[in-house]
């Protein structure tokens, strides 16, 4: 595990494991790259992203916390974790052989101005054949707290026209593009327009079928909601930090605690949301 300066001179960690390489910015505890050797890059990054301490990074895995979206107009969209500077608290090499890094964010004067709760938030990233991310919130205060969360993962895909998202069949979703209406999902999801949905009651794995070559398996725990987002043409063009054709090579599938999946954490208790992602061949047996 090496530390260096990344884009915008922001510090980042590089984890060079036997099976994969990953990069994590301390700004936002933001995983910006995961490359399983032989499988290409799994995450999508915007080449027009800001790399500034006061802006989120566009692409990779922003952490949305302690809220998802924008509950009130004066609050920052998707919370403050993704624009905070985290500290590295631990690095480890496992025998399997994977590498692990843990970063921490605790409440400060600035966070208490936005959200009045003491907390200790830990992001563990384990880099092996899988990319595993665990976001744990310990309530260090004396009152219960309510928190939403998202591991807002931008997956790199070959061509959005050939993408199918499986594992959501039969679930209902809140359509953020249609007055938050509840709708049923029938079959696999294909994307041929802007999509912005919060799927409910989704504890199970989701699979992104990425054309003829590969699929990405997303396992999760501590999460009963899943967000799928693609901005499509107009929204891509409207976002300053997003390339106009970026929507063709990305899809966000986000392991979340959002909508009816807000978590109440009692004093002294911890809630952990885990997401584990793996690239595999499009057909044939799963890799052990
Ligand atoms: C998604 C939301 O998760 O994130 C969308 O559902 C939002 O509504 C998108 O547009 C990107 O958000 P931001 O703040 O990173 O531009």
């Amino acid at each position: 595990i090496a530390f260096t300066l990344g884009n915008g001179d922001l510090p980042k960690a590089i984890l060079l494991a036997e099976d994969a390489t990953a990069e994590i910015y301390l700004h936002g505890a933001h995983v910006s790259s995961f490359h399983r050797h032989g499988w290409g890059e799994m995450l999508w990054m915007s080449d027009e992203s800001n790399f500034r301490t006061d802006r989120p990074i566009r692409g990779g895995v922003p952490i949305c916390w302690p809220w998802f979206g924008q509950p009130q107009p004066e609050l920052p969209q998707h919370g403050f974790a993704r624009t905070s500077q985290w500290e590295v608290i631990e690095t480890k090499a496992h025998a399997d052989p994977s590498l692990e890094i843990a970063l921490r964010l605790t409440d400060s004067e600035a966070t208490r101005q936005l959200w009045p709760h003491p907390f200790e938030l830990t992001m563990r990233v384990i880099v092996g054949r899988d990319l595993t991310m665990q976001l744990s919130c310990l309530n260090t205060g004396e009152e219960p707290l309510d928190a939403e969360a998202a591991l807002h993962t931008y997956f790199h895909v070959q061509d959005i026209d050939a993408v199918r998202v499986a594992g959501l069949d039969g679930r209902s979703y809140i359509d953020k593009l249609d007055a938050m209406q509840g709708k049923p999902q029938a079959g696999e999801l294909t994307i041929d327009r802007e999509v912005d949905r919060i799927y409910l009651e989704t504890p199970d794995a989701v699979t992104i079928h990425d054309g003829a070559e590969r699929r990405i398996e997303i396992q999760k725990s501590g999460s009963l909601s899943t967000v799928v987002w693609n901005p499509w043409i107009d929204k891509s063009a409207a976002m300053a930090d997003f390339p106009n054709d970026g929507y063709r090579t990305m899809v966000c599938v986000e392991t979340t605690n959002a909508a009816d999946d807000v978590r109440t954490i009692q004093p002294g208790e911890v809630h952990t949301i885990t997401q584990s992602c793996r690239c595999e061949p499009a057909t044939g047996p799963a890799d052990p």
Side-chain angles (χ1 to χ4, degrees), residues 50-217:
N50 292 299
F51 287 93
R52 292 170 39 164
T53 52
D54 58 345
R55 295 284 166 81
I57 295 170
R58 174 72 69 191
V61 191
I63 297 172
C64 307
W65 192 91
W67 54 83
F68 180 78
Q70 200 168 21
Q72 291 163 33
E74 69 279 9
L75 291 175
Q77 156 108 332
H78 289 333
F80 51 77
R82 64 180 183 165
T83 48
S84 297
Q85 171 82 9
W86 295 54
E87 61 166 330
V88 175
I89 54 165
E90 196 178 12
T91 57
K92 279 191 219 172
H94 296 281
D96 50 3
S98 58
L99 294 177
E100 177 171 343
I101 187 168
L103 300 100
R104 179 180 291 161
L105 178 69
T106 50
D107 57 293
S108 63
E109 196 53 49
T111 68
R112 285 189 296 270
Q113 273 182 19
L114 295 166
W115 196 66
H117 299 284
F119 66 86
E120 191 178 288
L121 198 58
T122 306
M123 174 74 161
R124 281 187 186 276
V125 182
I126 301 153
V127 176
R129 288 189 185 181
D130 299 353
L131 169 64
T132 300
M133 296 168 279
Q134 295 178 337
L135 180 71
S136 300
C137 173
L138 167 65
N139 180 351
T140 54
E142 282 160 16
E143 304 289 330
L145 64 80
D146 285 346
E148 292 183 295
L151 296 169
H152 189 309
T153 313
Y154 289 73
F155 289 99
H156 175 73
V157 296
Q158 295 303 313
D159 176 6
I160 195 69
D161 290 344
V163 165
R164 293 177 288 121
V165 181
L168 301 168
D169 181 30
R171 305 298 175 187
S172 52
Y173 63 86
I174 295 172
D175 192 345
K176 290 181 76 174
L177 302 173
D178 191 8
M180 306 296 270
Q181 281 194 66
K183 299 180 180 176
Q185 174 69 37
E188 293 176 344
L189 170 64
T190 52
I191 296 169
D192 60 1
R193 68 199 67 191
E194 187 179 353
V195 168
D196 193 355
R197 302 175 176 179
I198 306 174
Y199 284 86
L200 307 174
E201 298 301 323
T202 49
D204 300 329
V206 173
T207 304
I208 301 173
H209 294 279
D210 179 17
E213 299 287 301
R214 67 177 191 177
R215 66 177 194 254
I216 301 167
E217 288 279 341

